[in-house]
Amino acid sequence: MNKFAIIGDSTCDLTGELRAKYNIEYARMSVTLGNDVDAKEIYADLDWPEISPKEYYDLMRNGTRMRTAQVTEQEFDRVFIPHLEKGEDVIYISCSSALSASVKLAIKLNNEKYSKKYPNARLIIVDSLISCIGQGMLCIEAAKLREEGKSVDEVSSWLEENKLTCNQVATLETLEYLKRAGRVKATKAFFGNLFGVKPMLISDAKGNNYAIEKQKGRRNGLLRTISMTKEVVINPENQIAYLVHSDANPEDVELVRSKLIDECHFKEVYIAPLGPIIGATTGPGTLAVFCFGKKVEVVSAE
């Protein structure tokens, strides 16, 4: 049985701790900070070596524009080729194809280059149909199956069959960043009156960010995050809930964390920063919960 690598990308939002624990790699996207005159491009590095999460989100609060870019061919070469050259298979668990063109480029490169140059190894590409640490959770589950001795085909089959059981529930300070980036689905009526309203965001069955409802005020948005999680989760006592945020108020984070334990009954809550790519498109103050549960069947309204 061939050894195989598990690789995500910058939208998987896995901390260095989690990547090391489960032996997961990722392909980096990039972010351009600022306007054309003083713009600075950096890798969307999940270890935040050039700028801290707080500094990053404070820049956004102060009006700095963040422009994101997909994984490049050179970056895919950097993470894929060392494994393929050794005859190792690779599973690439990508950001949702509804949100990023990275997966399309990976497919193109595999068809035109990798499969021909490295015939003794395979690159299997899984469109996660989600992003953020939900995508990362699929990477973790794949790593656990690999550790159990499952083959690359067994792991990729499990991912395809179960990826829509990963649920996202998020509350945003504003929908403006997603709207500006063109990465949100919502009815036209949704945008009518957003003053003081906190959008609730899920990932739908096609991998879109879907603004499914509004809540009046921050606290109501936080509490709705808990009730929506309770509606979709299955066997919370046997799993970890992942709570990510883009420099949200610590009191808000603690409120949601405690209720995930006390009301939803998760065995543990893992808290992590929202990564630079997802954070650039959802904006500061976003707070999201991810868990495994009911299969996502909702499709966003056009």
Side-chain angles (χ1 to χ4, degrees):
M1 184 183 298
N2 279 1
K3 180 180 178 182
F4 63 94
I6 297 168
I7 297 176
D9 53 43
S10 284
T11 60
C12 74
D13 286 359
L14 291 173
T15 62
E17 175 190 36
L18 290 174
R19 299 195 315 273
K21 180 178 180 179
Y22 293 105
N23 190 20
I24 295 167
E25 302 170 53
Y26 74 102
R28 299 168 299 181
M29 298 175 179
S30 63
V31 184
T32 301
L33 289 67
N35 299 319
D36 294 336
V37 176
D38 58 352
K40 177 184 178 182
E41 185 177 22
I42 63 172
Y43 281 119
D45 193 309
L46 299 181
D47 296 322
W48 301 89
E50 295 190 59
I51 186 172
S52 72
K54 178 164 181 53
E55 291 170 332
Y56 186 84
Y57 293 116
D58 277 347
L59 283 175
M60 294 185 71
R61 290 185 178 102
N62 293 328
T64 299
R65 184 184 176 194
M66 307 296 190
R67 289 169 291 168
T68 63
Q70 69 180 70
V71 182
T72 63
E73 178 175 350
Q74 293 74 23
E75 180 65 7
F76 276 135
D77 285 351
R78 184 186 72 84
V79 294
F80 292 157
I81 288 178
H83 295 287
L84 299 174
E85 281 188 337
K86 291 186 289 186
E88 296 175 358
D89 295 331
V90 173
I91 296 180
Y92 168 46
I93 304 173
S94 77
C95 178
S96 168
S97 57
L99 304 177
S100 171
S102 296
V103 64
K104 294 178 183 177
L105 176 59
I107 292 170
K108 180 176 184 290
L109 292 172
N110 192 38
N111 291 338
E112 297 178 0
K113 181 164 68 170
Y114 302 138
S115 62
K116 296 177 181 178
K117 190 172 181 181
Y118 307 103
N120 296 322
R122 289 186 299 158
L123 170 61
I124 298 175
I125 300 168
V126 177
D127 179 356
S128 72
L129 295 180
I130 198 167
S131 63
C132 195
I133 210 161
Q135 177 189 352
M137 289 166 65
L138 294 175
C139 293
I140 289 173
E141 292 305 308
K144 289 179 180 178
L145 291 171
R146 177 180 61 186
E147 185 64 23
E148 292 173 7
K150 302 296 184 184
S151 70
V152 68
D153 290 311
E154 289 174 314
V155 173
S156 60
S157 293
W158 184 94
L159 289 167
E160 292 294 352
E161 291 169 7
N162 292 277
K163 61 189 180 183
L164 286 177
T165 65
C166 190
N167 285 259
Q168 164 191 301
V169 182
T171 182
L172 280 62
E173 286 284 7
T174 174
L175 203 61
E176 189 57 37
Y177 294 97
L178 275 169
K179 184 180 176 184
R180 187 186 306 162
R183 291 194 174 93
V184 64
K185 297 287 186 178
T187 61
K188 291 180 180 179
F190 193 100
F191 296 105
N193 179 18
L194 289 178
F195 181 74
V197 163
K198 305 305 176 187
M200 304 301 301
L201 200 71
I202 67 167
S203 181
D204 77 0
K206 293 185 177 181
N208 295 298
N209 282 318
Y210 180 26
I212 193 168
E213 65 179 55
K214 314 174 198 177
Q215 289 293 316
K216 187 69 173 178
R218 178 64 164 178
R219 184 174 177 83
N220 286 338
L222 297 172
L223 295 178
R224 184 63 177 133
T225 300
I226 297 300
S227 62
M228 288 176 68
T229 300
K230 288 170 71 174
E231 290 168 7
V232 299
V233 69
I234 295 174
N235 297 327
E237 64 279 357
N238 295 325
Q239 63 171 296
I240 297 171
Y242 288 84
L243 170 57
V244 294
H245 65 95
S246 50
D247 194 36
N249 186 316
E251 293 180 358
D252 293 346
V253 176
E254 175 55 25
L255 173 67
V256 174
R257 186 207 66 80
S258 63
K259 287 186 176 295
L260 287 171
I261 295 292
D262 297 340
E263 297 184 15
C264 299
H265 308 298
F266 286 98
K267 72 174 183 179
E268 185 182 337
V269 177
Y270 190 97
I271 301 174
L274 199 60
I277 295 291
I278 303 300
T281 55
T282 62
T286 299
L287 188 149
V289 175
F290 291 83
C291 67
F292 287 107
K294 298 176 184 176
K295 184 176 181 179
V296 177
E297 296 180 339
V298 176
V299 176
S300 56
E302 296 292 341

